[in-house]
Amino acid sequence: MSSPKNYKLEIVPPLHASPKESRNLLKFTVKHHSTTKILVIKYLSLVIALSSFITYITYHLENIRDGRLELANYLAITGQIIIVALLCSLQPPEDSITVMKGIGIQLNSRKMWRFQSSNAFVPIDSMIDLVIHEGFHDYGQVIFYLCVLTKASGSADENSITVVFPEFLPRKDILLTVWTLSRELLFGSTQRYWRRVPGQGLKQVN
């Protein structure tokens, strides 16, 4: 069964505020339509955890001053500190691609936990193309996904594929918008054709 994928695409700067001829950078961000639920859960849980921590410390303050805390108390305090730290790292997930004319693209994937987030930069000289592929996801669900094809580097013989918006895998209409605007900014209106030349790897054909 297909998932709703009710996501929102934000483009910065807005297209109506940046004429096509003067664009040097576009940032596309995919996120949930509303992040209120996650933020409410985060701050309510944080208030409860901090209140519990302060109450516990206050109750055992005299023992802490005298250095008479038992191991169980140390473990309880440590556990509460870890819980507070985890709640502070909770954030609304989002995926973004920043396209820079003549430079390349910056990919950012912000997951629900801050320490799981990742980013990568792909210089334009390493890029073969930006394409939309069709594939299987989860239990045989057919989806479309946007990916960056890059040239093989070092000892690697095969070209690599980097998926754009890996956390969300949005619907095709969003992908088409990002693909069209990104390719125009990166490569202009020209088509890109490549072929493998023996001993030289992939070469662009004019």
Side-chain angles (χ1 to χ4, degrees), residues 115-205:
F115 52 81
Q116 292 180 314
S117 300
S118 60
N119 57 76
F121 175 71
V122 183
I124 194 169
D125 292 339
S126 299
M127 293 178 60
I128 298 175
D129 208 344
L130 192 65
V131 298
I132 296 177
H133 273 319
E134 187 178 20
F136 292 101
H137 182 63
D138 285 342
Y139 299 101
Q141 178 186 352
V142 179
I143 63 167
F144 292 94
Y145 61 94
L146 182 66
C147 62
V148 184
L149 304 181
T150 55
K151 303 173 189 175
S153 59
S155 59
D157 294 328
E158 297 184 357
N159 305 316
S160 61
I161 296 177
T162 304
V163 177
V164 182
F165 309 131
E167 183 73 9
F168 289 85
L169 298 173
R171 290 191 177 278
K172 191 177 179 181
D173 56 340
I174 290 179
L175 299 181
L176 283 171
T177 300
V178 176
W179 176 78
T180 302
L181 294 171
S182 297
R183 290 191 87 260
E184 285 180 355
L185 194 59
L186 287 168
F187 312 123
S189 58
T190 58
Q191 297 290 329
R192 290 168 69 82
Y193 299 98
W194 297 79
R195 71 177 180 182
R196 188 174 296 278
V197 179
Q200 300 181 40
L202 282 174
K203 293 295 181 181
Q204 187 172 357
V205 180

Side-chain angles (χ1 to χ4, degrees), residues 32-170:
H32 292 284
H33 271 283
S34 176
T35 58
T36 305
K37 184 177 180 180
I38 294 176
L39 293 176
V40 168
I41 292 173
K42 172 182 177 177
Y43 290 116
L44 279 178
S45 301
L46 197 54
V47 168
I48 294 172
L50 284 172
S51 300
S52 174
F53 178 70
I54 293 171
T55 302
Y56 192 88
I57 292 294
T58 304
Y59 183 79
H60 292 89
L61 188 59
E62 187 175 338
N63 290 334
I64 293 174
R65 287 175 178 172
D66 297 339
R68 293 186 287 108
L69 279 181
E70 297 180 357
L71 178 60
N73 299 128
Y74 281 114
L75 292 176
I77 292 173
T78 302
Q80 291 182 66
I81 292 174
I82 292 174
I83 290 173
V84 170
L86 285 174
L87 289 172
C88 288
S89 69
L90 189 65
Q91 60 186 358
E94 66 177 41
D95 283 339
S96 68
I97 172 174
T98 304
V99 183
M100 294 161 278
K101 186 176 182 179
I103 298 176
I105 60 174
Q106 176 73 32
L107 301 172
N108 293 287
S109 182
R110 194 173 80 177
K111 299 184 183 296
M112 186 169 291
W113 300 105
R114 194 179 302 273
F115 52 81
Q116 292 180 314
S117 300
S118 60
N119 57 76
F121 175 71
V122 183
I124 194 169
D125 292 339
S126 299
M127 293 178 60
I128 298 175
D129 208 344
L130 192 65
V131 298
I132 296 177
H133 273 319
E134 187 178 20
F136 292 101
H137 182 63
D138 285 342
Y139 299 101
Q141 178 186 352
V142 179
I143 63 167
F144 292 94
Y145 61 94
L146 182 66
C147 62
V148 184
L149 304 181
T150 55
K151 303 173 189 175
S153 59
S155 59
D157 294 328
E158 297 184 357
N159 305 316
S160 61
I161 296 177
T162 304
V163 177
V164 182
F165 309 131
E167 183 73 9
F168 289 85
L169 298 173

